[in-house]
């Protein structure tokens, strides 16, 4: 479940509440914070939290798919990878979407709740797999974006909760998310 909306409207509170209720109902739940801040949620059984960082997601991707196990110890290569994640268009976005989809795909949790970026960033992130798929006609990137798109497009797997306030600007931005 992806929770998004304009900044400052309570998305983190809503995401935490959804995750807490799911955990209390016996679902093994993961709450993912995409803004780098530790989620503020009561500790309870069945609830795990994860703070997304681009650097850690990139290191995990390299270890899983490129098969370089200890990228953090590779000095110059690690610095180069950090530079690429910051400089290349779409790298941060695909890492963010890929990390969340990977966590959901592992099956370790019944429910994955994502305290997503604000709506402007969110739209960019979830559209990145389609953009990359259009560029990669074959190979590993194509295969990975195919399963991400399938997961994000399946309403039995992925839902989006848009949090807003009854004000003109947040309401207008939230309405655009439906299109």
């Amino acid at each position: 479940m992806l929770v998004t909306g304009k900044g400052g409207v309570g998305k983190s509170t809503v995401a935490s509440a959804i995750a807490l209720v799911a955990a209390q109902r016996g679902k093994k739940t993961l709450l993912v914070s995409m803004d780098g801040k530790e989620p503020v949620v009561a500790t309870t059984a069945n609830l795990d939290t994860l703070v997304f960082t681009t650097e850690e997601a990139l290191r995990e991707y390299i270890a899983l798919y490129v098969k370089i196990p200890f990228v953090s110890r590779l000095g110059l290569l690690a610095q180069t990878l950090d530079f690429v994640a910051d400089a290349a268009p779409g790298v941060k976005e695909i890492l963010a979407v890929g990390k969340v989809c990977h966590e959901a795909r592992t099956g370790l949790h019944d429910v994955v709740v994502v305290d997503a970026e604000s709506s402007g960033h969110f739209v960019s992130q979830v559209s990145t797999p389609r953009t990359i798929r259009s560029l990669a006609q074959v190979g590993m990137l194509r295969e990975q974006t195919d399963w991400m798109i399938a997961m994000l497009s399946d309403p039995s797997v992925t839902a989006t909760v848009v949090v807003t306030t009854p004000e003109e600007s947040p309401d207008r931005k939230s309405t655009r998310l439906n299109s």
Side-chain angles (χ1 to χ4, degrees), residues 52 54 85 88-98 121 124-126 128-129:
F52 171 82
T54 304
V91 171
K92 283 187 176 184
E93 289 81 2
I94 198 67
L95 283 170
V97 173
H121 296 284
S124 171
Q125 284 176 334
V126 296
T128 300

Side-chain angles (χ1 to χ4, degrees), residues 67-177:
K67 309 294 187 206
I68 300 175
F70 300 108
V71 129
S72 62
R73 297 184 193 172
L74 297 179
L76 183 57
L77 177 58
Q79 290 173 351
T80 303
L81 293 172
D82 290 342
F83 174 78
V84 167
D86 287 335
V91 171
K92 283 187 176 184
E93 289 81 2
I94 198 67
L95 283 170
V97 173
K99 176 62 176 166
V100 169
C101 288
H102 172 75
E103 290 298 331
R105 191 178 193 203
T106 65
L108 297 174
H109 296 91
D110 303 314
V111 176
V112 177
V113 179
V114 181
D115 180 5
E117 300 278 346
S118 62
S119 50
H121 296 284
F122 173 78
V123 170
S124 171
Q125 284 176 334
V126 296
S127 64
T128 300
R130 288 187 193 283
T131 303
I132 290 177
R133 183 178 71 174
S134 72
L135 300 172
Q137 298 302 310
V138 294
M140 184 173 69
L141 273 179
R142 176 63 181 230
E143 292 168 11
Q144 291 172 352
T145 55
D146 281 347
W147 68 258
M148 283 188 250
I149 292 166
M151 181 178 281
L152 292 169
S153 302
D154 184 347
S156 70
V157 176
T158 304
T160 302
V161 174
V162 180
V163 181
T164 190
T165 58
E167 300 171 41
E168 187 175 345
S169 177
D171 184 53
R172 200 175 311 140
K173 287 184 179 190
S174 298
T175 303
R176 283 188 215 138
L177 286 171

Side-chain angles (χ1 to χ4, degrees), residues 11-62:
K11 7 183 233 341
S12 296
T13 301
V14 170
S16 295
I18 291 169
L20 189 57
V21 168
Q24 289 171 341
R25 291 185 176 173
K27 301 285 186 186
K28 183 72 174 151
T29 304
L30 176 64
L31 174 59
V32 181
S33 172
M34 298 304 287
D35 65 5
K37 297 180 208 162
E38 191 69 39
V40 181
V41 63
T43 305
T44 186
N46 297 322
L47 180 60
D48 297 321
T49 60
L50 176 98
V51 177
F52 171 82
T53 65
T54 304
E55 180 180 340
E56 285 303 314
L58 183 58
R59 290 179 201 286
E60 182 178 2
Y61 180 84
I62 298 288

